[in-house]
Amino acid sequence: MIGLSAECQPSSVSAARRLLAEVSRVVVLTGAGVSEESGVPTFRGPGGLWRQFRPEDLATPEAFGRDPRLVWEWYNWRREKIAAVEPNPAHRALAELEARLKAGATAPVRPLTLVTQNVDDLHERAGSRSVLHLHGEIWRLRCTGCGREDYDRRVPLDPLPPVCACGSLLRPAVVWFGEALAPDTWDAAVGAAQACELVLVVGTSALVYPAASLPAIALQAGARLIEVNRDPTPLTPRADVSLQGKAGDLLPQLL
Ligand code: BV8
Ligand code: ZN
């Protein structure tokens, strides 16, 4: 089935609802677009992310090595933004979908795995339980010296950049460009993608790897694909149903 575009919205929403009603194992992959309506800027959208920088320039170990203060200022700015916003209807619809699939689940299989590229905690704050953060979490800090890692939700952080008890610099416990994803997190995401009947991709430009390869892994294993995005992406041609619009409008219609 080719992707249905925005024009025939009602039928594509009903096509997506039908697909969802038939399955018992779902993987959801989200990106910055699912948090956009909460007020968290996306990486590549028109809102841009921060000053004149591109994420690829700041979210790297080299940038942190060169100018830890600048990189920390960016993360501190994002921590303040994330702390000040609320989950939006898209996050809440995904939490509701997980609850419904869990209520209907018979086999001891995990009915919904939410895999996110986002480092914010809005999925958890909306009630999602099984969240895999492929790119880490902004609220966790890791010591560049002793490796100690812990949550630190102070906003703003002082003084920047924070220093560990061992004297080394702390960094955000997120995955920067050129860094490997946490093996157990990635393996869990791949396992879920290979075992699911449907992959629901929401608000990602599908440009960053290996995260962007998860939908293809699910399709390879015979899953159906629903994409929810404001714009077309490289995934759109492969979607069984493609819903073009805002996640906060469209996801509640799927329930
Ligand atoms: C690795 C965490 C190797 C930090 C991030 C050339 C070709 C292919 C790949 C590469 C290449 N050169 C380099 C690579 C690899 C690189 C990569 O993929 N680069 C890309 C840019 C080409 N990948 C890596 O480096 C990865 N590591 O490969 O390691 C390795 C292996 C073994 C051992 C050692 C090393 C690590 C990638 C992780 C990077 N970290 N962030 C932080 O957040 O600060 S990536 C960053 O981009 C975020 O995590 C973000 O989630 C991610 C993807 O962006 P999106 O979430 O999709 O957001 P975006 O703004 O792009 O799009 C938003 C979408 O939503 C849009 O489509 C928009 O239309 C839509 N939207 C907006 N509003 C709404 C909406 N939709 C619906 N409703 C709305 N309201
Ligand atoms: Zn330390």
Side-chain angles (χ1 to χ4, degrees):
M1 184 201 302
I2 53 157
L4 300 158
S5 63
E7 288 68 50
C8 51
Q9 198 71 36
S11 65
S12 46
V13 169
S14 51
R17 285 163 64 100
R18 263 197 312 279
L19 277 185
L20 265 176
E22 291 162 6
V23 296
S24 55
R25 286 196 311 282
V26 174
V27 161
V28 180
L29 173 67
T30 64
V34 80
S35 297
E36 189 260 342
E37 290 157 80
S38 295
V40 181
T42 62
F43 284 83
R44 296 168 187 85
L49 206 76
W50 189 56
R51 296 188 193 162
Q52 74 283 11
F53 294 101
R54 289 176 333 121
E56 288 77 7
D57 300 336
L58 283 176
T60 70
E62 294 74 28
F64 184 73
R66 196 174 47 245
D67 190 346
R69 204 176 166 68
L70 173 71
V71 174
W72 259 118
E73 262 184 66
W74 179 46
Y75 278 93
N76 215 22
W77 175 78
R78 289 170 66 195
R79 287 162 65 102
E80 288 183 71
K81 269 211 171 295
I82 293 164
V85 300
E86 293 299 321
N88 68 62
H91 297 108
R92 284 197 289 276
L94 292 173
E96 172 60 27
L97 176 62
E98 178 183 3
R100 287 195 190 174
L101 283 167
K102 271 187 179 160
T106 46
V109 71
R110 181 190 290 265
L112 185 143
T113 302
L114 200 160
V115 183
T116 186
Q117 300 169 85
N118 301 339
V119 294
D120 65 51
D121 59 347
L122 294 173
H123 283 306
E124 289 88 344
R125 286 167 55 194
S128 286
R129 289 280 160 273
S130 55
V131 183
L132 290 175
H133 283 275
L134 288 185
H135 297 157
E137 298 175 67
I138 200 163
W139 297 117
R140 286 182 72 80
L141 309 187
R142 183 168 66 234
C143 176
T144 55
C146 68
R148 191 180 64 81
E149 189 172 314
D150 218 339
Y151 282 107
D152 181 328
R153 297 177 187 277
R154 283 176 298 165
V155 170
L157 274 171
D158 55 32
L160 287 176
V163 178
C164 175
C166 79
S168 301
L169 279 188
L170 292 176
R171 60 165 278 183
V174 300
V175 179
W176 280 329
F177 287 100
E179 293 186 324
L181 279 61
D184 48 349
T185 308
W186 177 243
D187 292 348
V190 170
Q194 287 169 331
C196 76
E197 299 160 284
L198 175 76
V199 53
L200 172 60
V201 183
V202 186
T204 180
S205 56
L207 295 175
V208 172
Y209 283 82
S213 59
L214 276 176
I217 291 171
L219 287 170
Q220 191 68 32
R224 311 297 287 277
L225 168 59
I226 298 174
E227 181 185 41
V228 176
N229 198 307
R230 203 192 45 195
D231 305 318
T233 74
L235 272 180
T236 308
R238 306 190 62 182
D240 291 278
V241 181
S242 161
L243 302 177
Q244 200 165 339
K246 294 169 75 171
D249 297 339
L250 289 166
L251 286 182
Q253 294 179 41
L254 294 190
L255 291 181

